Amino acid sequence: MVPPNTEQAAQSVLAGAAEIGFVEGAVDDRSLDRWLVARDRLVLVSRTPVEHIDDTWLKAARWSVREQGSGTRSTFEETLRQRGIDPHALDIALTLPSNESVRIAVETGAGVAALPELVVARAMRTGALHALPFELAARPFFGLPRWGEGVIPVAQALWWIDIALSLGCGVLIPYLMFTRQEHRIDQMTAVWLLPVAAAEVAAVSGGLLAPHLADAQAQFVTLIASYVLWAYSVPVAFAILTILVLRMALHKLPHASMAASSWLALGPIGTGALGLLILGTEAPSILAAQDMASAGLVAAGIGVIAGTLLWGFGLWWLLLASLITIRYFRAGVPFNLGWWSYTFPLGVYTVATLKLGELYGLGFFSGLGTLLMLTPLWLPCGRLISTRNLPRLVQVWREAVSKPCATQAGNHRHPPQPPLPLNSQPARQCRHGVCCQRMDTDRQPTDPGDSP
């Protein structure tokens, strides 16, 4: 099931394709990989209803048509030829360059026309046009790949390399932590999740890659490997999350420099949910080709239910991380490179949310997913305009735009001094601004240690 807003967008795209006559004949080259997106049919419309149409009526009617070579006109003329009617024998009143212009002409009374249903659907609902009792052919709309099939082997090879790296990271890094480093639970952060999360990211990638492979056996191997990668990482990630919750309960929050790490836990949760949803979507067709259709249905059901459960757990962590972030921001959080932790976990959880919206057809998931897409934008902005930083930002702005020493240099008996650093304050300020740091401008230094 497709969300309503997505369906409307798809209809708009298809209507645009109908405008340019994007039909099967335009992509009938066998060397092109293509897939059917949707079908649209031509409808014979006029301003007034007609009860019966025969060949005599078709020849006597006044027509508004598209230009020669358009998909709409080619399909219509082919239907006429199948009935034994010469298209050149029609009484053509207008020839127009777009379906919309033909529709408007017919609405104003310029005869009848054969137009795509997507173009005239609204006009027929409002009564501006009427569908006539005449059957016309349906037209398929195809999607074409941008890069073609040549990129698939490259993607497959890179995916296997990704598997090797993720398997190594998931075991070797924890092993080195256990054998060469000293750790305490009060020093633990969500960064411990990073080595094991790589495998579940590869599992999601495998679910996206599998349906594009030409060989059914390769699809099956990729699907099973993706499930193994999911199990390789998600249970371990949940074990680490258990320790992390205990650490926060016993030792409170980490240092402010690790504030963004509170969001990292959302990454494995969201990726785990997304992996089950994607693998469950592709499993039925792939497993059916291996005479395992019943297992494919089970995998699809588990993917939806378990993915929803993981998403719910992610919602709990999302709310907790939001409260923790608010607390950090109120106390003041210095910027550091760890702020990337705000983006990836939120991004993958957002994709899982939108995937649930696609599967369930519920506007709640689609709306929340849209809101979450904007979250990485307002988090840094909220930090910059917080009450702790806003006065300083205003001060820096005023110093930058006013330039008092440049405009009032004639009122001073000493050269202007350079501006102060942002993290310092002048001992005294005169009425001219920060460049005049002392009122006794006539005083000269008496020794090298006496500053002017």
Side-chain angles (χ1 to χ4, degrees):
M1 185 177 293
V2 181
N5 55 345
T6 306
E7 183 178 357
Q8 293 174 0
Q11 289 181 353
S12 299
V13 172
L14 291 176
E19 283 282 338
I20 61 174
F22 185 38
V23 296
E24 184 175 7
V27 289
D28 57 2
D29 188 346
R30 292 184 179 272
S31 64
L32 290 177
D33 182 25
R34 63 180 184 178
W35 60 93
L36 183 66
V37 176
R39 292 184 182 273
D40 182 34
R41 68 184 184 93
L42 291 180
V43 182
L44 201 62
V45 294
S46 70
R47 186 177 179 181
T48 58
V50 177
E51 296 182 358
H52 176 71
I53 291 179
D54 54 19
D55 293 352
T56 302
W57 187 94
L58 293 173
K59 296 177 181 179
R62 298 181 69 247
W63 294 89
S64 294
V65 297
R66 286 286 306 273
E67 75 281 6
Q68 287 286 352
S70 67
T72 301
R73 183 162 179 174
S74 299
T75 304
F76 174 58
E77 289 182 349
E78 181 61 27
T79 303
L80 293 177
R81 291 189 183 96
Q82 293 175 1
R83 296 177 64 100
I85 300 176
D86 183 6
H88 298 91
L90 298 182
D91 180 13
I92 299 177
L94 292 173
T95 300
L96 299 170
S98 70
N99 287 329
E100 285 295 331
S101 59
V102 174
R103 177 185 61 80
I104 294 173
V106 176
E107 288 180 0
T108 59
V112 296
L115 290 171
E117 187 176 23
L118 288 170
V119 176
V120 297
R122 181 178 300 178
M124 290 192 299
R125 286 196 301 267
T126 60
L129 291 177
H130 297 272
L132 305 185
F134 185 76
E135 193 68 25
L136 286 166
R139 302 190 304 166
F141 293 89
F142 293 98
L144 300 176
R146 179 166 185 168
W147 300 106
E149 295 183 355
V151 77
I152 295 178
V154 177
Q156 188 177 15
L158 292 176
W159 183 70
W160 285 107
I161 294 174
D162 182 27
I163 288 180
L165 294 175
S166 61
L167 292 176
C169 290
V171 171
L172 294 179
I173 294 179
Y175 174 77
L176 295 176
M177 291 173 60
F178 300 157
T179 57
R180 299 191 180 184
Q181 298 177 346
E182 295 292 335
H183 298 282
R184 299 197 312 266
I185 191 171
D186 62 309
Q187 296 178 341
M188 179 203 182
T189 66
V191 176
W192 285 21
L193 292 164
L194 295 181
V196 299
E200 59 180 321
V201 175
V204 176
S205 302
L208 296 173
L209 174 65
H212 297 284
L213 301 177
D215 183 40
Q217 184 64 25
Q219 292 182 347
F220 179 67
V221 171
T222 302
L223 179 71
I224 299 303
S226 299
Y227 272 115
V228 172
L229 289 169
W230 188 95
Y232 183 88
S233 60
V234 174
V236 181
F238 272 68
I240 296 174
L241 286 175
T242 303
I243 303 173
L244 181 61
V245 173
L246 178 64
R247 176 253 178 271
M248 291 193 296
L250 296 180
H251 301 285
K252 308 307 177 188
L253 300 178
H255 187 268
S257 61
M258 299 296 295
S261 67
S262 60
W263 291 90
L264 285 176
L266 195 61
I269 300 172
T271 308
L274 181 62
L276 288 178
L277 294 172
I278 292 179
L279 294 175
T281 301
E282 305 300 337
S285 60
I286 295 177
L287 294 180
Q290 305 296 324
D291 296 328
M292 302 172 62
S294 58
L297 296 178
V298 172
I302 293 176
V304 174
I305 300 302
T308 305
L309 295 178
L310 286 180
W311 183 90
F313 178 46
L315 180 63
W316 179 85
W317 203 282
L318 171 69
L319 298 176
L320 179 65
S322 299
L323 293 176
I324 292 174
T325 301
I326 293 173
R327 180 183 178 89
Y328 274 122
F329 276 19
R330 291 179 62 183
V333 181
F335 173 79
N336 58 68
L337 295 180
W339 277 35
W340 69 267
S341 304
Y342 291 126
T343 56
F344 168 74
L346 274 172
V348 70
Y349 187 75
T350 300
V351 176
T353 304
L354 295 173
K355 185 65 176 179
L356 284 174
E358 177 184 345
L359 292 175
Y360 287 125
L362 296 177
F364 165 76
F365 290 106
S366 301
L368 180 60
T370 303
L371 179 63
L372 290 176
M373 283 192 293
L374 302 176
T375 304
L377 298 178
W378 62 257
L379 271 174
C381 295
R383 169 71 182 105
L384 290 175
I385 63 175
S386 62
T387 55
R388 188 179 182 90
N389 288 331
L390 187 57
R392 189 60 182 155
L393 289 174
V394 173
Q395 180 182 358
V396 172
W397 169 259
R398 288 178 176 175
E399 293 171 3
V401 300
S402 59
K403 303 184 184 300
C405 292
T407 57
Q408 303 184 31
N411 297 331
H412 298 274
R413 288 175 290 172
H414 65 282
Q417 301 294 327
L420 290 178
L422 294 181
N423 58 355
S424 63
Q425 297 291 337
R428 293 179 62 184
Q429 282 191 340
C430 70
R431 61 186 177 87
H432 298 296
V434 295
C435 64
C436 304
Q437 301 178 33
R438 306 179 65 90
M439 293 295 294
D440 51 342
T441 55
D442 292 332
R443 181 173 178 268
Q444 300 295 328
T446 57
D447 59 72
D450 192 5
S451 60

